[in-house]
Amino acid sequence: MKDECIFCQIVNKKLPADIVFESDNLLAFRDIAPKAQHHILLIPKLHIESLQHASIKEQAILAELMLCSKEVMAGIGVTNGYRTVINTGKGGGQEVFHLHLHLLAGNLPTY
Ligand code: 5GP
Ligand code: ZN
């Protein structure tokens, strides 16, 4: 827990969020400014700043993050596929420095 981190505050229910999934280690909630019909942020409850800050100690939690994404999306009715994005560091477009997986579905741009 990092006091000034908004995602840690959401984990600790100090900030409101539209939560769609919760497990012992993970939390998923709707992005406040959705870039697709469905835009979910799936995060580890543990504060890890970014993929650049993750170490081998965190391998189990990173695997869990990837592997739970299908359950999270199925839970909101998305069963035909979705896009996963992780922005890493300022150069990668990261704005919130608590590692998160973007899960996007519906009206996606192709590239
Ligand atoms: P990043 O650019 O760091 O990969 O993505 C951060 C995401 O967090 C953005 O898509 C932004 O809309 C979202 N976001 C920022 N602040 C909040 C918040 O307080 N609540 C929620 N639900 N999403 C947020
Ligand atoms: Zn945090």
Side-chain angles (χ1 to χ4, degrees), residues 6 29-32 35 41 87 93-96 100 102:
I6 55 172
F29 49 90
R30 291 191 185 276
D31 195 293
I32 206 165
K35 316 294 186 298
L41 301 172
N87 296 325
Q94 186 174 3
E95 290 178 351
V96 177
H100 51 280
H102 293 260

Side-chain angles (χ1 to χ4, degrees), residues 67 76 90 92:
L67 295 171
I76 60 162
K90 284 201 193 316

Side-chain angles (χ1 to χ4, degrees), residues 2 5 7-8 47 98:
K2 193 173 172 188
C5 170
F7 287 179
C8 282
H47 180 86
H98 179 130

